[in-house]
Amino acid sequence: MYLIWLLKSALVKYFCGMQILDGKIVSQSVKDQLKARTDALVAAGKKQPHLAAILVGNNGASETYVASKVKTCEAIGFKSTLIRLEDSVTEAELIAAIDKLNADKDVDGILVQLPLPKQIDDEKIISLIHPDKDVDGFSPVSVGKLVQGLPTFIPATPYGILMMLEHYKIETKG
């Protein structure tokens, strides 16, 4: 992860005339905006947004990433649920967990943390997440909507980069 960040930083510095873009500043700005919007929703008597994350196994990087999501949800006023499954989980058990979350009207977004154990077909699992709850934007339906320019969730890394460019008012072409 750190290596990817360094590479992105180097590219951004190169393409932006050595202007350093601080992702932490942008991230905090986005969190502040989301917190205000969430507080307004709740104050208006509307539903508190709810993200459910499924973490399979004990991958250190995955643990850190999901813990960050749970912490961010708390900071911006979202409800979050973390479902931990052993790396010995069967595909059928994971499918049942996703089906339950898809049917749960209280859950607005579902994140299945990758990688999954070798006995589980990642693509099959991702395709089972209802497109309206696919916060990663990885399902075939979500990717198709993105390609067609239709409203959908955008994968986090490219969307974060777009938000950073927008924050710093950097024009892009193409």
Side-chain angles (χ1 to χ4, degrees), residues 91-151:
E91 192 169 87
E93 290 168 327
L94 182 52
I95 290 170
I98 292 169
D99 287 346
K100 185 176 178 182
L101 293 173
N102 278 334
D104 187 340
K105 299 229 185 281
D106 187 52
V107 173
D108 301 296
I110 301 170
L111 168 91
V112 176
Q113 182 60 41
L114 303 176
L116 294 171
K118 62 184 176 190
Q119 75 271 18
I120 298 175
D121 180 349
D122 292 12
E123 290 180 26
K124 180 178 182 180
I125 294 302
I126 290 167
S127 71
L128 294 173
I129 300 169
H130 191 284
D132 292 342
K133 295 185 179 192
D134 176 25
V135 295
D136 276 329
F138 291 164
S139 76
V141 173
S142 297
V143 172
K145 285 181 171 183
L146 182 65
V147 169
Q148 293 177 347
L150 298 173

Side-chain angles (χ1 to χ4, degrees), residues 13 15 27 39 53 67 78 107 111 115 118 122 144-145 151 163 171:
K13 286 178 193 176
F15 288 112
S27 175
D39 288 349
F78 281 28
V107 173
L111 168 91
K118 62 184 176 190
D122 292 12
K145 285 181 171 183
M163 292 177 81
E171 295 291 323

Side-chain angles (χ1 to χ4, degrees), residues 5-6 8-10 12-13 16 19-33 68-69 72 156-157 159-168 170:
W5 179 84
L6 283 176
K8 287 178 191 171
S9 295
V12 168
K13 286 178 193 176
C16 298
Q19 178 184 8
I20 296 175
L21 308 180
D22 190 334
K24 289 183 179 181
I25 291 171
V26 178
S27 175
Q28 189 58 55
S29 172
V30 170
K31 288 176 189 176
D32 291 345
Q33 291 172 31
S68 171
K69 298 300 159 224
T72 299
T157 300
Y159 189 51
I161 292 168
L162 290 171
M163 292 177 81
M164 187 176 310
L165 293 172
E166 182 179 304
H167 178 86
Y168 285 100
I170 296 171

